[in-house]
Amino acid sequence: MTNLMVYLLQFTSYLIQLYVYIILASVILSWLMAFGVVNPYNRFVRALAQAFAAVTEPILRPIRNALPDFGGIDFSPLILLLGCFFLQGLIERVLIPAVAGGI
């Protein structure tokens, strides 16, 4: 039973890592679109941006609402990345050793 729990915690850690990559790709794509490097009217680019927004916006929106206004700079992806790194560290350094120690 503890092996199953360890595998589930590792899988959760991998999902968090995948979400970190999605956040980074979303930020980079938004920068490329803002600076005119990538055409935002391209169907593929627009679909990719909408997919990233559909995955990241439900978590970024409450963070944006809680942060004060910094002008044109959006710090919410940075806060979300820090939260993801914290959760991933908690899983890998605290939860997995605690569950595996019970073997």
Side-chain angles (χ1 to χ4, degrees):
M1 185 66 178
T2 57
N3 286 338
L4 177 64
M5 193 64 167
V6 169
Y7 291 137
L8 288 175
L9 288 171
Q10 288 174 342
F11 181 70
T12 304
S13 179
Y14 293 141
L15 287 179
I16 292 171
Q17 188 64 39
L18 177 66
Y19 197 67
V20 164
Y21 292 143
I22 291 172
I23 294 167
L24 291 174
S26 175
V27 167
I28 291 171
L29 182 65
S30 71
W31 287 346
L32 292 175
M33 289 170 61
F35 292 123
V37 176
V38 175
N39 183 6
Y41 300 107
N42 184 335
R43 285 186 186 181
F44 176 73
V45 172
R46 190 173 353 138
L48 194 60
Q50 288 174 350
F52 287 153
V55 174
T56 59
E57 281 302 315
I59 299 176
L60 287 173
R61 191 175 307 118
I63 297 171
R64 282 190 188 114
N65 291 338
L67 289 176
D69 186 23
F70 291 107
I73 301 174
D74 184 16
F75 287 110
S76 59
L78 178 65
I79 302 298
L80 182 56
L81 285 173
L82 290 174
C84 287
F85 293 145
F86 174 77
L87 280 176
Q88 200 170 19
L90 182 72
I91 289 171
E92 292 177 357
R93 291 180 181 86
V94 176
L95 295 178
I96 290 177
V99 171
I103 294 175

